[in-house]
Structure formats: C-alpha cells, structure tokens
Amino acid sequence: MNKIEHIGIAVKSLESSNELFSKLFGQPHYKVETVESEGVKTSFFNVGTNKIELLEATNEDGPIAKFIKKKGEGIHHIAFDVDDIESEIIRLKKEGFVVLNETPKKGADNKLVAFLHPKSANGVLIELCQERKL
Ligand code: ZN
C-alpha cells in the first residue's frame, strides 16, 4: 500500500457541504461525479497534496444513505493508493480481512476500487484505489 489517496466524508447535502468545505480549504472543489452503481454523488477537493471526497446519497437504499441514517454525517472511509489492486485483494484476504469486492469496480475519479469491511479493520471502512490506465 502506498499513501492515503483520499478521505471520504458522508454528507447530507453536497451543495451546502461544497460551500462549507470551500470556505474551510480556501478553494473550491475541482470536480463533481455521480457513481450511479453506488448510489452516490461525489465532489473532490485538493488540499495541498491530499484529497478529500464528499459523498451524498442519490439512492435511499445506497451505502451512504444507510451510513448517515445509522451514524450521521462524518468520516466514511479512508482510501489507500495501491499499485496492483488485484494482488492486494488476494494478499489482504490471506491476512484475514473481509473484502467486500472480490473483483475491483469502477469508482469515482478514474479509479478501480475495492472496499474492506469495517468489522475487519477496527471499525474503519478501507477503500483500495488503483489509478485506471486509459
Ligand atoms: Zn472514496
């Protein structure tokens, strides 16, 4: 695993949170992207060399809607950059982590992604992220 790729924050309203986080960071988000398969609309901010992703539910039964219902708004996941997501999935399964996506899927911001269940990582939802080669 390489560096932290981004931190994901679940929000009720992307519109008002974009405004809030623009004020916080002193700069606007650089993109908005909907991931239909996940039932989320996301926006991304650069903060120095770091990235923050805001996530709003577009679907009442999706993971973000469920998360907010259960826990309220807040940090949803930490994403780590990996070079080879498929071999990382195999490695982490061997180590006993519960991998939610055996086959990596298309995530926002041109990534292949897979998630590890929070129950196998001290309550933290972990996202593995590999840059997609175009
Ligand atoms: Zn993410």
Side-chain angles (χ1 to χ4, degrees):
M1 248 181 235
N2 305 320
K3 57 173 188 152
I4 291 179
E5 215 288 325
H6 61 268
I7 294 174
I9 299 174
V11 302
K12 285 181 184 161
S13 160
L14 204 58
E15 200 186 333
S16 66
S17 298
N18 278 338
E19 215 178 295
L20 177 74
F21 281 84
S22 295
K23 281 183 201 159
L24 179 67
F25 300 141
Q27 57 182 323
H29 59 283
Y30 66 88
K31 79 151 83 173
V32 171
E33 191 177 341
T34 300
V35 184
E36 217 48 78
S37 59
E38 288 296 292
V40 295
K41 192 170 167 191
T42 65
S43 66
F44 286 90
F45 290 83
N46 280 316
V47 190
T49 56
N50 300 306
K51 241 163 73 182
I52 300 293
E53 174 185 34
L54 302 183
L55 306 112
E56 176 196 73
T58 58
N59 173 347
E60 272 305 297
D61 305 317
I64 297 301
K66 280 184 190 154
F67 178 88
I68 288 177
K69 235 173 255 165
K70 212 165 133 190
K71 298 189 171 175
E73 296 177 296
I75 293 180
H76 177 258
H77 64 271
I78 301 179
F80 292 91
D81 179 63
V82 300
D83 295 323
D84 180 348
I85 195 165
E86 285 175 18
S87 68
E88 276 297 284
I89 288 171
I90 293 166
R91 183 181 74 81
L92 293 166
K93 274 176 71 180
K94 270 191 208 143
E95 295 285 6
F97 291 94
V98 178
V99 178
L100 295 172
N101 317 96
E102 301 270 326
T103 311
K105 55 185 184 175
K106 271 199 223 167
D109 209 22
N110 194 39
K111 306 284 187 205
L112 278 176
V113 303
F115 287 90
L116 306 184
H117 198 289
K119 78 181 176 200
S120 65
N122 284 166
V124 181
L125 178 62
I126 305 284
E127 178 182 358
L128 307 175
C129 259
Q130 182 194 320
E131 189 85 39
R132 285 170 69 211
K133 290 152 197 117
L134 295 172

